[in-house]
Every structure is written in C-alpha cells, then in structure tokens.
Amino acid sequence: MLNKYHSKIVNLTGLYTLKGSLTEQFLYNLRNREKFALDSEQYSFLRMCDGQKSLSEILKDYDSDSQKVILEFLGNLRQIGAVCFTKEKNPREFPDLVLDPQLQSVHFELTSRCNMRCRHCYQESYLRQPTDLTFEEIQKLVREMRKLQVEKIGISGGEPFMRPDLFEIIRIIEENEIAISSILTNGLSLNNKVIEKLLKCQGQLSLFVSLDGMKPEAMKLRGFGPDQCEQVFNRLIGNIQNAVKAGIPIMINTVVTKDNVVNICQMYDWLKEMEVIGWRIALPKLAGSFTKHQSEFALPREKVFEEYLKIIKRHLETENWKNNNFRLQIEHFFRVEVFENLEILPPTAFVCDYEGKRQSCCIKPNGDVTPCPLYIDLVVGNLRKQSLESIWYSKTMQQIKDIRICDVKGCQFCHLSWLCATGCRANAIFLHDSREAPDDDACAAVKFFIDQVAPMLRENGIKLPEIQERR
C-alpha cells in the first residue's frame, strides 16, 4: 500500500507531535488534544519521522518482519492524518523526554488587568498590579514549556482579552507545539474582531464565559451598579450569540448565589436554546473578594443542592444527553467524564489525581507559580527568579502533588473519603486554614450525592460503583 512512498520523506504532520516522560510516551494531536499511548519502539520510530529521512532509509535498519509491522503502523497513522510523505526535506525537532512526573498542563493567568470587579474573585490580591510578565518573558517561558513536554495551556486572567498581545502569545504557544485548551473570559471584549482571530487559531479551543443569570441583575455579582447592569448584560449576551453563530465553542460558567438560585434551573433550557456547548456550575469559594461579600451573596448549601438535583433531573430527561451534545458539569455532582472512570479510591490514591490536576500547575500574572489556581497563598517560586523546571520538580511542589488521601488527617477516618478524595485542599485552607482539614463543601456534597443523586443516575443507565456510606 505504501510502496509508492519508499523514496519520499516521512513526516509527522504539523497537527501531531510527540510528548511524554521516561515512563510514558504519546502521539499528541495539537488540534483536539487527543493522546495515543506509544510503546518505546513506536516512540523511537516516530522520532525518525522528522522530515529528514525517506521511508526506504528508515526501513533499511529493520528486518522484513519488522518492516511489515512498520508499514501497517504507518498506514494507520496516515488514515488519521498523523503522517505524510513529501519530496522535500522539512526538518523538525522533537524535545527529549523528561523526568517523571511530566508537567502536562498549565493554567496561565496572563494578565492582572480586568474590566470587572467580581464580588467573588478568589485572586483579588493579584488584580490590577503593574507586574505582569512581559511578552519577552512569556516567549522565553513558552520555549521552556516545550522542553518540559507541556501538552496544553488554559489561558485566564484577570481578563485575558485585555492583554493587547494576547494573539501574539497564542501564536507563540502554538508554534511551540503546545495546545491551548481553553480561554476563560468574562465575555465583554468578545467582539467581531476577536472572534475572527479566534477562528484562525490552530487548536479547537473553547471559551469559558462567565454568566450568572438570565436577567441583567446577574451583573451585580460582577461589580456593576443598577444603572449599568442592563447595558452590560445585553452586550454580554450579544457577544455570546455572535460567537456561537461564528462557530466558537462556548461553555458557560455560573456561580450560584442568593440572587440567581431561584431561577437557576430555568437557565438550563435557556442556555441550550442559545446553543452553547455546555454549562459549568459551582459555588463561590471563601477567598479573596468573596470574604467581604459573603453575607450579600452566600446561601445554605442544602438550598443549592436541591436546585442542582432539579437541573440534573432536567438534563437526564433530555433526549440524547448521553451523546454529550450539551455538557453539564456541576461541581461535586455531575460530570460524565468522571462517572466514566469513577472507582473506589484506596487510601493511597493521590488527592490531586481526582480531577486530573496532579500533573498541572498555575502561573500567576507576575510569574508566581502555585500548585493550582486556588492555591493563592502557596507560591512555590517565581519565574523571574527561577526556571519553571526547578519550580515544578522542587520538593515543595511535589509534596503538594503527592498528598494522598491517607495523609489528610481531617479525613483519615472518614467513611466517605474513598469517594471524594478529601475534596479540595485549597478550599480546606480557605475554610479552616489548614490543608489537612476537611473540605466542608465536598463533605456535604458527597453525602447528598449518595442519598439523592446516585440513585437517579443509576436509573438513567449511568454505571457507578456500589456507593454507600461505608464504615
């Protein structure tokens, strides 16, 4: 089948690259972020598909049986668009494998600038500071990320679209063979020019847009007065609709408060009609600005959980919900990706593995590096003083990433920790000033999940482990 290509140069196409550590290697799709596990021989072979050797030059080092295997392998790769054959050489370099654990993803808060003053912003202390990393510093950092085999970056702020060089930064990231998984935005700057530029990006990135209600009053949480709410709300809705029409995947982020809880279930149908791809819902964290506005916006968890139950029921009643045509993610309660891999966690399981965050970190606008976005009071290092590599592999960072369920003293004897993995350690700090304390939000949510949500999920064909209050 590939005989006619023997004299041609073998290339891994631009949409694919090689990523991995000394123990795990992958063929990585830079557009949709799909990963294909490779064994060591497959990985070594693909490193030779660097646009410098012809197929015959590569095959000459293999016996006839191995050549058949290679040709079949190449045929499969060609079908998915991972390899191509050209007349001219097009040299390409693949970074060396890194030590374990590989830093796979980075949450990059590119700027401290913001055009809102959200009453629940957890990182208030980082906003509106004159210390943002420069373009040159980010360019150097992205090159280091490539060497570290970083697979994807989620971009946030502040408000990322307030950074005038944002699309230059996106270009640098994609040129260094790192995928952009998402951009988190308040949506106010999402005009037609921005939409056009987003459509030209290589990756299939999603926009996560903040929207907290169906009426203008929702903008109160975002720091706007009564005289501004209607104008800002209409502008935001118009921007979302224009982006959806243009083909930009939009995921809505909603924070549940006193102001919107009554109508939160109605938002489900409204958002589906708007044709966004999904909806993420969560309670605000007791940190940053929210510590000053808690009494104004907070409400009992139990009230929120009852509304969550209605949303989940509505979702499960919708035709084709299993086809994932509308992604519903409710913190602690509903996320299909988690259900598909839900298992009874042993006490030795890593806490940060629960949401796939053990191989990730956060970079703040000034270059501070924290274990995750919410770990605002644990700065492991700063990129103006240290390399990302030294920070990532530091004892402090890895001690956080290596926390196991059995290490969290406040949860050691809890009969539910096998399900919640002790919740969020950063939230435990917010609530109790200790990462060894329980995460009260997760505790309450897991109990409600077992009693109310799990039976409903089973009735609708979602397979779950036998969940009960094990003692």
Side-chain angles (χ1 to χ4, degrees):
M1 179 180 173
L2 298 177
N3 290 338
K4 62 180 179 180
Y5 296 114
H6 273 235
S7 62
K8 292 190 175 181
I9 308 298
V10 188
N11 299 267
L12 204 58
T13 60
L15 285 179
Y16 285 84
T17 190
L18 299 174
K19 298 282 186 180
S21 68
L22 295 177
T23 58
E24 290 184 312
Q25 297 91 48
F26 302 94
L27 177 65
Y28 187 71
N29 186 313
L30 292 163
R31 184 165 177 78
N32 61 21
R33 302 180 298 283
E34 190 172 6
K35 295 168 68 171
F36 302 89
L38 302 171
D39 60 35
S40 58
E41 290 184 358
Q42 290 171 329
Y43 175 80
S44 297
F45 170 76
L46 286 178
R47 282 188 69 92
M48 291 190 288
C49 300
D50 58 358
Q52 300 190 69
K53 294 182 179 180
S54 68
L55 179 56
S56 59
E57 288 177 308
I58 294 174
L59 291 177
K60 70 179 183 180
D61 294 325
Y62 294 88
D63 60 35
S64 58
D65 289 337
S66 297
Q67 287 181 11
K68 292 178 183 178
V69 173
I70 288 171
L71 291 174
E72 182 180 358
F73 182 51
L74 281 173
N76 292 334
L77 293 177
R78 188 165 176 266
Q79 285 185 346
I80 65 170
V83 295
C84 63
F85 301 89
T86 59
K87 293 181 179 180
E88 304 294 330
K89 290 184 178 182
N90 185 23
R92 181 176 177 185
E93 291 185 11
F94 301 110
D96 293 334
L97 296 173
V98 296
L99 298 173
D100 293 300
Q102 173 196 353
L103 175 59
Q104 293 181 349
S105 67
V106 171
H107 181 95
F108 199 170
E109 295 165 359
L110 282 177
T111 180
S112 64
R113 297 178 65 188
C114 192
N115 49 5
M116 289 190 180
R117 294 184 179 272
C118 299
R119 300 296 187 246
H120 66 293
C121 184
Y122 66 86
Q123 56 176 4
E124 182 185 34
S125 61
Y126 277 97
L127 295 183
R128 300 173 184 88
Q129 301 296 322
T131 53
D132 289 3
L133 294 174
T134 66
F135 177 80
E136 289 73 21
E137 287 173 321
I138 292 175
Q139 193 173 29
K140 179 182 177 182
L141 171 62
V142 171
R143 287 196 292 264
E144 184 184 6
M145 287 192 208
R146 182 183 186 185
K147 291 181 180 178
L148 287 174
Q149 298 281 13
V150 171
E151 296 171 2
K152 60 185 178 181
I153 294 174
I155 293 175
S156 180
E159 171 48 48
F161 289 110
M162 291 192 71
R163 182 151 186 151
D165 56 1
L166 172 62
F167 285 97
E168 275 296 295
I169 292 171
I170 290 175
R171 179 183 62 80
I172 292 297
I173 291 171
E174 292 188 334
E175 284 180 354
N176 279 274
E177 299 187 346
I178 302 171
I180 297 172
S181 57
S182 60
I183 300 178
L184 279 70
T185 174
N186 59 41
L188 285 189
S189 301
L190 195 56
N191 55 40
N192 289 334
K193 288 184 178 179
V194 167
I195 290 172
E196 287 178 15
K197 291 180 179 180
L198 286 169
L199 290 171
K200 294 177 182 177
C201 294
Q202 173 181 284
Q204 292 177 333
L205 59 87
S206 299
L207 292 188
F208 287 70
V209 181
S210 301
L211 179 61
D212 304 304
M214 302 169 61
K215 298 180 180 180
E217 291 76 15
M219 304 315 299
K220 178 183 172 184
L221 179 66
R222 302 289 163 175
F224 294 97
D227 57 328
Q228 298 172 297
C229 284
E230 185 171 358
Q231 181 182 358
V232 174
F233 180 80
N234 291 338
R235 176 179 163 189
L236 174 55
I237 297 302
N239 288 349
I240 292 172
Q241 291 173 334
N242 288 339
V244 169
K245 287 178 183 176
I248 303 290
I250 300 288
M251 189 88 172
I252 298 298
N253 282 343
T254 297
V255 177
V256 185
T257 68
K258 286 180 182 177
D259 289 346
N260 64 11
V261 68
V262 175
N263 299 315
I264 197 75
C265 191
Q266 296 176 28
M267 277 189 73
Y268 179 88
D269 292 313
W270 184 57
L271 293 178
K272 288 201 73 174
E273 289 173 6
M274 208 181 292
E275 297 185 341
V276 297
I277 65 169
W279 189 22
R280 294 200 312 180
I281 316 169
L283 283 165
K285 298 292 183 285
L286 190 59
S289 182
F290 195 64
T291 59
K292 296 177 288 187
H293 298 283
Q294 182 185 13
S295 60
E296 184 180 359
F297 292 102
L299 69 166
R301 295 188 193 96
E302 292 72 23
K303 173 64 176 173
V304 179
F305 294 171
E306 290 294 338
E307 296 304 315
Y308 284 171
L309 197 64
K310 295 176 186 176
I311 296 170
I312 295 170
K313 183 178 180 181
R314 178 73 188 94
H315 183 63
L316 296 176
E317 289 172 348
T318 305
E319 286 187 39
N320 300 321
W321 71 266
K322 289 184 179 180
N323 295 334
N324 211 24
N325 59 343
F326 184 82
R327 291 159 51 196
L328 177 65
Q329 296 180 11
I330 303 179
E331 187 179 35
H332 302 305
F333 286 98
F334 195 92
R335 190 173 174 183
V336 172
E337 303 95 304
V338 173
F339 295 151
E340 288 174 347
N341 300 292
L342 189 62
E343 58 184 21
I344 295 174
L345 299 171
T348 53
F350 293 104
V351 169
C352 288
D353 262 345
Y354 190 67
E355 291 268 347
K357 294 179 179 177
R358 187 164 171 247
Q359 290 178 282
S360 68
C361 71
C362 175
I363 298 174
K364 300 294 182 180
N366 67 346
D368 283 348
V369 181
T370 62
C372 78
L374 288 176
Y375 257 115
I376 49 180
D377 294 326
L378 180 57
V379 177
V380 181
N382 185 279
L383 295 169
R384 287 183 167 132
K385 300 176 182 178
Q386 302 158 264
S387 67
L388 180 58
E389 180 179 16
S390 65
I391 296 171
W392 172 248
Y393 288 108
S394 68
K395 182 178 179 181
T396 302
M397 179 67 80
Q398 293 309 313
Q399 281 179 335
I400 295 294
K401 296 299 178 180
D402 286 345
I403 294 176
R404 300 174 187 268
I405 293 174
C406 58
D407 296 329
V408 181
K409 293 181 180 179
C411 301
Q412 281 179 338
F413 303 106
C414 176
H415 54 279
L416 298 177
S417 61
W418 62 274
L419 180 59
C420 71
T422 78
C424 173
R425 296 298 85 216
N427 202 40
I429 295 173
F430 299 151
L431 296 171
H432 299 291
D433 199 29
S434 170
R435 69 169 180 251
E436 295 188 342
D439 172 359
D440 297 345
D441 293 336
C443 293
V446 167
K447 291 174 183 176
F448 191 87
F449 180 87
I450 290 173
D451 293 339
Q452 302 291 329
V453 181
M456 185 189 302
L457 297 180
R458 285 203 185 89
E459 289 174 6
N460 285 273
I462 294 178
K463 295 180 180 179
L464 299 174
E466 190 55 42
I467 298 173
Q468 55 186 345
E469 292 198 9
R470 301 181 346 151
R471 299 180 183 274

